[in-house]
Amino acid sequence: MTPGEASKQGALLEIDHPYGGKRYPAQLFDIDQGVAWIEYGWAEDDPMERASNPIHMAQGLVKATPNGWEIPTDAGRPVTIRRLDAHNDSDLIEELKTFNRGDRYRARDVIQQDLSLTIPSE
């Protein structure tokens, strides 16, 4: 399974990026050599509730690990992606469930337009 497949199935994910810290994608997609995601708040009707920079990507070969996935970076520390665990992350999971993830197909279009890339069909 890939990170994009997990997101499509509704898994709640955590991304730890060496430059951006921890992120929680509302929707995440596999792209050629990496992943692209959009954060919670992007689909809200009130523009003041939206994240100021909700669209991101990590480029590199995605490798499965025992805890999720890694994407190597030139920072010396990989981008890591993991599924949130109901036992260890229950409070965070309950909080994220209160937010709107938005329509996955619309999220795909928004990411493609913003990053000027093509996301492979799912």
Side-chain angles (χ1 to χ4, degrees), residues 10-87:
L12 297 176
L13 303 172
E14 176 183 84
I15 299 169
D16 192 359
H17 195 287
Y19 297 120
K22 291 185 179 180
R23 308 275 183 161
Y24 301 94
Q27 300 289 346
L28 181 142
F29 298 87
D30 299 315
I31 60 174
D32 290 336
Q33 295 294 306
V35 296
W37 70 91
I38 194 161
E39 295 178 355
Y40 288 92
W42 76 272
E44 300 301 324
D45 292 335
D46 181 355
M48 296 304 289
E49 295 296 319
R50 293 182 185 154
S52 61
N53 184 24
I55 300 170
H56 307 278
M57 74 174 159
Q59 292 182 289
L61 181 62
V62 179
K63 295 181 182 182
T65 69
N67 297 319
W69 303 270
E70 287 186 353
I71 302 169
T73 69
D74 58 2
R77 191 174 71 112
V79 172
T80 60
I81 304 169
R82 71 176 185 93
R83 288 177 190 246
L84 294 180
D85 176 277
H87 178 70

Side-chain angles (χ1 to χ4, degrees), residues 84-91 93:
L84 294 180
D85 176 277
H87 178 70
N88 296 314
D89 303 305
S90 61
D91 291 342
I93 289 170

